Amino acid sequence: MRFFTIAFFTIISTVFLAYGQTSQQDTLDPYGFVTKYDTGFNGIGPKVYILPLPRTLKDEMIDTYKEIQSFQDSIRLGFQYQRLLSTFKHTTNHQIIGKVLPDTISTQEYSRLLQQFVDQKNHAVLYAFYNSKAENDLHDHNTEEAVNALYTALSHAQAARNELDIAIIQSNLASIFLITNRLQEALTLETLYLDHTNKTKNLAEQAASNTRIALIQAYGKDYKAAENTVIRKAIPLFNKSKFYEGKIEAWIILAEIYRSQNKHTEAQWFLIQARDLAKEKSYSEKLAMIEYMLGSSKMIQANYKVAKNELEFAWKLAEESSNKFLQLAIAEQLGRSYVYLKDYELAKSFLEQYWILRNNLFSKNITSIL
């Protein structure tokens, strides 16, 4: 009987002890992640470490899109750099380079021929060569070398007294100074190019030059002057010359000027004008940029559903484009719109697209160059 009583109390004690530990474990770890505790621990530190809940896809997407938001400025600078490359002007005798300095010859022979042109003071070949070299330097993201090459080209063009090519080289210098924030130099040089177009009465080039001047003014935060330059000078000249592609670009730049002032309603109005004209004249390559800017503007106004629709259309158009910076900007904004609309799977999908494009485009540390 005594043995039975001892055994009974032993079983009861074990049950209560187990229950007590389970109850304590439930209290200590409501999430159920930790399976063992040393309840008798009496050393330094907490008696038990409570593990946090794992991050959900929602948490991950919200946090990651916050982290990458600061990189938007680098994307914008990269896009401006690409715009510079797309508008770089060749001299009137650009074709001569391939004839007198063909790529098929050896490096040594190439250098020998170049020195020969220097010795002969063949300024026409030399300014064409150095202007072309500057373009190659820009493709390699060597802006300082490009500037040096253009100054050399300018000195030879001035020696050759070719006014048109002098103006072209000055405009190329102005574009580089714009993206490197040497705004006064940029404005001076682009104004010289505009003066030349006024002399030759080239209406389309006058309009395009005024648009570039407006961009320089906007970068210097002289927004009112920039608006007037586009509306009162560039647009009427585009209309007279019937240079519709340039007019579309002018509308886009005007929208950029208003966006810089957080005037998104005005920016959207000009973007719609650009979109209508692009559709009318079948300039599909401009539509992706316009749709992106419309969607991005709607994002700032917290109109996420409309922004998503605009950005989805922009993405479809941009997928066929070679403009990878535009694709990167759209992927970032479209993914962000999905976060706001709580579609975290699609947000994750575009985040993957974003990182592929970003790692590819910024492998050469473009931000430090700009």
Side-chain angles (χ1 to χ4, degrees), residues 154-210:
L154 183 59
S155 66
H156 285 292
Q158 289 168 337
R161 298 183 180 180
N162 188 314
E163 291 187 9
L164 175 55
D165 285 332
I166 289 170
I168 285 171
I169 295 165
Q170 287 170 332
S171 184
N172 286 337
L173 271 168
S175 295
I176 297 178
F177 289 151
L178 170 61
I179 64 168
T180 53
N181 207 36
R182 295 164 65 174
L183 300 181
Q184 189 54 55
E185 292 169 275
L187 184 59
T188 299
L189 289 165
E190 189 59 45
T191 301
L192 289 173
Y193 180 78
L194 177 61
D195 290 343
H196 178 78
T197 64
N198 289 334
K199 289 178 186 177
T200 59
K201 300 185 179 187
N202 187 328
L203 296 182
E205 282 302 311
Q206 286 176 36
S209 185
N210 272 300

Side-chain angles (χ1 to χ4, degrees), residues 57-58 60-62 64-65 68 312 315 319 327-328 330-339 342-358:
L57 180 61
K58 171 184 175 181
E60 186 180 346
M61 291 300 101
I62 290 174
T64 304
Y65 276 95
I68 66 175
E312 284 177 339
W315 178 256
E319 279 187 299
Q327 290 179 16
L328 175 61
I330 296 170
E332 192 268 347
Q333 286 287 287
L334 184 52
R336 191 177 299 281
S337 75
Y338 288 129
V339 170
K342 302 184 183 345
D343 192 337
Y344 303 111
E345 287 293 343
L346 276 175
K348 181 181 178 182
S349 173
F350 276 93
L351 184 62
E352 291 168 356
Q353 294 278 359
Y354 169 89
W355 281 117
I356 291 170
L357 289 162
R358 174 170 160 176

